[in-house]
Amino acid sequence: AQSVTQPDIHITVSEGASLELRCNYSYGATPYLFWYVQSPGQGLQLLLKYFSGDTLVQGIKGFEAEFKRSQSSFNLRKPSVHWSDAAEYFCAVDPITGNQFYFGTGTSLTVIP
Amino acid sequence: GAGVSQSPSNKVTEKGKDVELRCDPISGHTALYWYRQSLGQGLEFLIYFQGNSAPDKSGLPSDRFSAERTGGSVSTLTIQRTQQEDSAVYLCASSHRTSGYVLPNTGELFFGEGSRLTVL
């Protein structure tokens, strides 16, 4: 079955520490891949996207993600986390064929001073 | 407008009442999605509109839910005879996305801030 997995429900990091949020997907072909962030009471904001080409993509707010085809993964990273990064992060997949986007269940990030 | 606009931002209703939620997508976006997000949960797909094509209603949880999109722009999600389990945030998103391998396919969804529905 098609799915998007974010294995970490909640992550806590110290401000200034590095961050990696995991995302795995199961689709037959290489889909389009996205990371969104949702602050409390807000809609989802696009952080970055991968369509094709360079497997390391840069996004807003200092985030980057790396697409690894062999692992069907698209992990999100940030070298130094800021307190304002505390939010919910969603990985999303567009299989390209069909209508739906598929979202992971999200990872909640807490940043401690 | 510059972004996806949703109204109302908050709606409190009594069980059994009907509610309408409105979404005004980004001008020129042919694709429009509705999602439901329950407390602490991910996004549940509800319905997808693409241009003048028949909508994909496969995510609607029951026949109490319906949606329409007039003139390929504004969309209304209607929930009839609301139940307490309908309490959630309803998110609308629009996109240039087209179905299938049609390039360029910018793909990403632009979300509104959601309509929070509370059914008492």
Side-chain angles (χ1 to χ4, degrees), chain B residues 55-69:
Chain B
D56 177 353
K57 304 179 182 180
S58 60
L60 294 178
S62 76
D63 58 8
R64 296 186 297 103
F65 287 74
S66 63
E68 64 177 17
R69 188 179 185 190

Side-chain angles (χ1 to χ4, degrees), chain A residues 29 32 34 36 38 41-44 46 49 51 90 94 96-101 103-105, chain B residues 33 35 37 42-43 45 48 56 58 91 97 99-101 103 105-109 111-113:
Chain A
Y32 296 156
F34 308 84
Y36 285 86
Q38 185 180 34
Q42 303 294 311
L44 277 71
L46 180 70
K49 61 191 178 187
F51 289 160
F90 291 94
D94 178 358
I96 305 176
T97 58
N99 297 331
Q100 288 194 37
F101 272 63
F103 286 83
T105 52
Chain B
Y33 294 78
Y35 288 88
Q37 186 177 30
L43 277 71
F45 167 76
Y48 164 73
D56 177 353
S58 60
L91 293 166
R97 182 188 186 274
S99 298
Y101 288 88
L103 296 177
N105 181 339
T106 56
E108 67 261 40
L109 303 186
F111 283 85
E113 295 197 347

Side-chain angles (χ1 to χ4, degrees), chain A residues 15-91:
Chain A
E15 190 168 16
S18 64
L19 172 70
E20 182 170 30
L21 303 182
R22 295 181 289 165
C23 175
N24 292 91
Y25 64 90
S26 60
Y27 294 93
T30 299
Y32 296 156
L33 300 161
F34 308 84
W35 275 97
Y36 285 86
V37 61
Q38 185 180 34
S39 297
Q42 303 294 311
L44 277 71
Q45 180 185 19
L46 180 70
L47 281 176
L48 46 77
K49 61 191 178 187
Y50 172 79
F51 289 160
S52 65
D54 192 348
T55 57
L56 183 64
V57 293
Q58 303 297 320
I60 62 171
K61 305 184 180 184
F63 285 91
E64 66 178 25
E66 184 172 14
F67 168 57
K68 292 186 177 179
R69 185 190 308 274
S70 62
Q71 299 177 19
S72 295
S73 69
F74 189 56
N75 294 349
L76 181 71
R77 301 194 295 248
K78 187 170 184 178
S80 178
V81 171
H82 187 263
W83 63 267
S84 60
D85 294 324
E88 188 86 17
Y89 291 80
F90 291 94
C91 179

Side-chain angles (χ1 to χ4, degrees), chain B residues 15 30 44 80-82 89 91:
Chain B
K15 178 182 174 181
T30 57
E44 176 187 5
Q80 296 178 309
R81 305 181 302 281
T82 52
V89 176
L91 293 166

Side-chain angles (χ1 to χ4, degrees), chain B:
Chain B
V4 177
S5 179
Q6 291 189 245
S7 62
S9 55
N10 279 287
K11 176 70 176 180
V12 180
T13 191
E14 294 179 345
K15 178 182 174 181
K17 301 286 189 182
D18 297 352
V19 296
E20 286 189 349
L21 308 176
R22 175 189 167 104
C23 174
D24 198 343
I26 293 173
S27 177
H29 280 186
T30 57
L32 187 148
Y33 294 78
W34 283 98
Y35 288 88
R36 179 168 69 176
Q37 186 177 30
S38 301
L39 187 62
Q41 301 297 309
L43 277 71
E44 176 187 5
F45 167 76
L46 296 177
I47 189 168
Y48 164 73
F49 295 91
Q50 176 60 263
N52 295 320
S53 302
D56 177 353
K57 304 179 182 180
S58 60
L60 294 178
S62 76
D63 58 8
R64 296 186 297 103
F65 287 74
S66 63
E68 64 177 17
R69 188 179 185 190
T70 54
S73 182
V74 172
S75 177
T76 302
L77 177 69
T78 300
I79 309 173
Q80 296 178 309
R81 305 181 302 281
T82 52
Q83 304 295 311
Q84 288 183 333
E85 60 263 29
D86 300 333
S87 296
V89 176
Y90 290 82
L91 293 166
C92 176
S94 71
S95 172
H96 281 298
R97 182 188 186 274
T98 56
S99 298
Y101 288 88
V102 178
L103 296 177
N105 181 339
T106 56
E108 67 261 40
L109 303 186
F110 294 83
F111 283 85
E113 295 197 347
S115 292
R116 180 177 298 278
L117 174 65
T118 303
V119 182
L120 301 177

